[in-house]
Amino acid sequence: MLPALIRDQLTSIVGETRLLLGSDDLQRYGIDRTTLWQAAPCAVVLPATVEEVRAIVLLAREHGLAIVPSGGRTGLSGGAVAKDGELVVAMDRFDKILEFNPLDRSITVGAGVVTAQLQQFAGRQGLLYGVDFASSGSSQIGGNIATNAGGIRVIKYGMTRDWVIGLKVVTGAGEILELNKGLAKNNTGYDLRHLFIGSEGTLGIICEATIQLARPTLQASVMLLAVNEFAVIVDVLQHFSAGLELSAFEFFSQSALEKVIAHRGHAAPFQAVAPFYALLEFEPVDQAVVDKAMQLFQHCVDQGWVLDGVISHSVAQAQNLWKLREDISETLWRWQPYKNDISVRISRMPDFIFQIDQLVARQYPDFEVVWYGHIGDGNLHLNILKPECLSLDQFQAKCVNVSNEIGQLLAACGGSVSAEHGVGLLKKNYLHYSRSAAEIAIMRGIKSTIDPDQVMNPGKLFD
Ligand code: 2HG
Ligand code: ZN
């Protein structure tokens, strides 16, 4: 319940129409794509200018009111969940492309610009925003930056961090900071821009971003391979990446494929049934490259790694193969999966796969496990499906135990408990498996400096 005094002050900052108090709005803006928590914000406010954001943050400081910054709410770790009476500051009104500079190949956008809008704008200028993922139709740039989103072409284009050349933020103290100002070279001490990237809303609110655009990509071919066993996926990756310039190397298990075909009505890619599938993308579409790909494919078949394969001959075929991978996450929601988004260095992947496969088989004998992810980046999305016979609470309790074992394994392999989805609420109890006590203490110190009254997204990342 929002006290009348704060409600009046918020109304005087943004006007009545941009302060939402109805239960539908509180529900909609109070959660992200996770299903574990109930939305319970005290209000939702939709600022339209940086000054309004600042005024809201100062008000929150004055009244000790917690803020949850909100973008497209496509996150998978509870980073944008408002479950404890927080004020949601939704950035939907920052939805303008503010400046495009062809000489710098840069674009400045409001934090509420949707990823696909940026990609399309770049395309119309003959340029490219190469960070891409299944939720690009609704995720917002500010949220992507706050979680340092990755996606399906990280092996070629890197993470969101690699393309952010400037940020305008309001800190938890209410300061407006312009960070890096779009410069390619700027060695003037600590790069605060990078602190905000991946900070999950715990330091301040990202209002605007300047993004470096890339030169356009060439048309790509997509290959889908039926792989004989988990362990050899890395051999296939190594073999193909030695011979071709890959822009993606993804994988998924047979159970993922089965479900996507059944629930999305996609056509089966080929007759062979294999435990795993690898999806590769490479450019350009010319005969020499395709011949090389076929030669690499034949070697994988001769080694017994690959049982079957298909290559796209048109843009539509390439898109259809991609759908088999991109539609997995959405398809699995009906099973309320317990999600793991873990990574190790590629060189450690063979050993890691062996160990985690054994751990999962030992610990989840009765659960259906669906594997998929960006194996070219060392990133596995391990989804455990909830059996109907267990309540969500019983299921979570079992999964939490195993998460500690996964955390220990990751710590031993120098891996990460969150490769690309962020820590949020979901993984904060496992942060110590990836970050040392000294690192976490420094992170807390940084938060206290930038957000002295702890108003920014409290309880996310760490308590
Ligand atoms: C993907 O790679 C997304 O499809 C979602 O990162 C992964 O839902 C997931 O676990
Ligand atoms: Zn992913």
Side-chain angles (χ1 to χ4, degrees):
M1 186 64 187
L2 187 65
L5 172 68
I6 304 182
R7 190 188 58 213
D8 292 348
Q9 288 179 325
L10 283 170
T11 307
S12 72
I13 296 170
V14 295
E16 243 168 63
T17 54
R18 289 193 275 120
L19 178 65
L20 311 180
L21 297 164
S23 62
D24 283 358
D25 288 322
L26 299 186
Q27 283 303 309
R28 187 155 69 94
Y29 281 94
I31 46 163
D32 57 11
R33 299 302 307 277
T34 50
T35 51
L36 290 175
W37 299 280
Q38 300 296 320
C42 64
V44 178
V45 64
L46 293 156
T49 64
V50 179
E51 274 308 328
E52 286 178 1
V53 173
R54 177 166 188 268
I56 292 166
V57 171
L58 292 175
L59 182 85
R61 280 194 77 180
E62 183 190 332
H63 296 285
L65 183 63
I67 285 177
V68 174
S70 187
R73 294 179 305 285
T74 55
L76 295 164
S77 298
V81 168
K83 63 180 180 61
D84 295 317
E86 301 94 332
L87 175 66
V88 173
V89 179
M91 300 303 281
D92 300 14
R93 300 295 164 105
F94 283 73
D95 58 352
K96 308 275 178 313
I97 291 183
L98 302 168
E99 193 192 331
F100 168 63
N101 191 316
L103 188 56
D104 297 338
R105 271 191 288 120
S106 73
I107 182 169
T108 300
V109 296
V113 165
V114 169
T115 315
Q117 193 187 337
L118 169 58
Q119 290 167 336
Q120 284 154 15
F121 182 92
R124 288 196 295 276
Q125 313 308 316
L127 295 168
L128 176 82
Y129 181 57
V131 179
D132 194 17
F133 28 75
S135 61
S136 59
S138 46
S139 68
Q140 296 179 1
I141 297 301
N144 296 351
I145 294 171
T147 48
N148 185 27
I152 54 178
R153 291 200 178 79
V154 171
I155 49 176
K156 176 151 186 186
Y157 294 108
M159 305 282 280
T160 300
R161 181 185 300 286
D162 299 307
W163 301 96
V164 176
I165 52 174
L167 283 181
K168 188 183 273 192
V169 302
V170 174
T171 68
E175 308 270 9
I176 298 172
L177 302 181
E178 288 195 47
L179 305 173
N180 197 58
K181 303 186 179 97
L183 294 169
K185 302 183 90 170
N186 179 15
N187 281 349
T188 50
Y190 309 141
D191 193 336
L192 303 182
R193 154 189 57 160
H194 283 296
L195 275 183
F196 278 82
I197 303 170
S199 64
E200 303 190 29
T202 62
L203 299 179
I205 300 180
I206 295 166
C207 296
E208 292 172 16
T210 303
I211 305 288
Q212 183 71 66
L213 298 176
R215 299 205 184 279
T217 185
L218 300 160
Q219 199 188 317
S221 294
V222 174
M223 221 181 198
L224 188 73
L225 306 175
V227 181
N228 210 4
E229 55 174 319
F230 208 164
V232 301
I233 299 177
V234 183
D235 297 315
V236 176
L237 167 65
Q238 202 169 10
H239 188 64
F240 268 91
S241 55
L244 284 177
E245 178 80 29
L246 295 177
S247 49
F249 191 99
E250 303 277 312
F251 93 114
F252 45 91
S253 60
Q254 166 62 16
S255 58
L257 179 64
E258 241 172 56
K259 288 181 167 55
V260 164
I261 289 175
H263 292 277
R264 294 288 164 139
H266 300 323
F270 35 57
Q271 297 231 308
V273 173
F276 292 96
Y277 300 88
L279 184 149
L280 298 65
E281 187 186 76
F282 49 88
E283 318 155 358
V285 181
D286 73 26
Q287 203 49 48
V289 173
V290 172
D291 289 349
K292 178 72 190 176
M294 295 312 290
Q295 197 188 325
L296 297 167
F297 166 71
Q298 193 53 50
H299 176 83
C300 293
V301 173
D302 294 344
Q303 293 296 313
W305 299 335
V306 164
L307 304 172
D308 204 347
V310 59
I311 186 167
S312 63
H313 294 291
S314 67
V315 174
Q317 282 175 4
Q319 285 168 347
N320 287 339
L321 290 174
W322 263 118
K323 281 186 193 150
L324 299 173
R325 164 65 185 89
E326 287 210 276
D327 288 354
I328 298 172
S329 181
E330 198 71 33
T331 302
L332 296 184
W333 277 110
R334 72 199 69 216
W335 285 276
Q336 296 179 285
Y338 185 83
K339 290 188 173 293
N340 290 280
D341 161 42
I342 54 186
S343 71
V344 295
R345 292 168 60 162
I346 285 288
S347 55
R348 302 203 72 161
M349 199 46 124
D351 179 40
F352 181 69
I353 284 179
F354 176 74
Q355 294 195 52
I356 190 138
D357 198 21
Q358 288 201 329
L359 188 156
V360 165
R362 189 173 68 244
Q363 292 293 357
Y364 291 125
D366 307 324
F367 290 169
E368 186 171 355
V369 175
V370 182
W371 295 96
Y372 58 107
H374 320 279
I375 205 152
D377 319 325
N379 178 188
L380 308 179
H381 294 312
L382 164 59
N383 278 228
I384 320 292
L385 308 192
K386 187 180 92 55
E388 269 182 29
C389 60
L390 292 184
S391 72
L392 191 55
D393 283 350
Q394 290 168 325
F395 175 59
Q396 289 298 321
K398 284 178 187 269
C399 292
V400 160
N401 288 338
V402 185
S403 284
N404 280 311
E405 282 202 48
I406 293 177
Q408 283 159 20
L409 180 56
L410 284 164
C413 294
S416 173
V417 295
S418 177
E420 60 172 6
H421 296 166
V423 174
L425 293 169
L426 190 68
K427 298 295 171 194
K428 66 178 174 178
N429 293 338
Y430 313 105
L431 183 63
H432 64 279
Y433 291 117
S434 295
R435 298 299 198 104
S436 69
E439 275 183 287
I440 295 173
I442 292 170
M443 286 204 255
R444 285 185 199 285
I446 290 169
K447 175 156 172 79
S448 294
T449 303
I450 299 181
D451 175 26
D453 294 332
Q454 311 279 317
V455 292
M456 291 309 312
N457 219 5
K460 313 293 165 46
L461 194 52
F462 40 61
D463 284 316

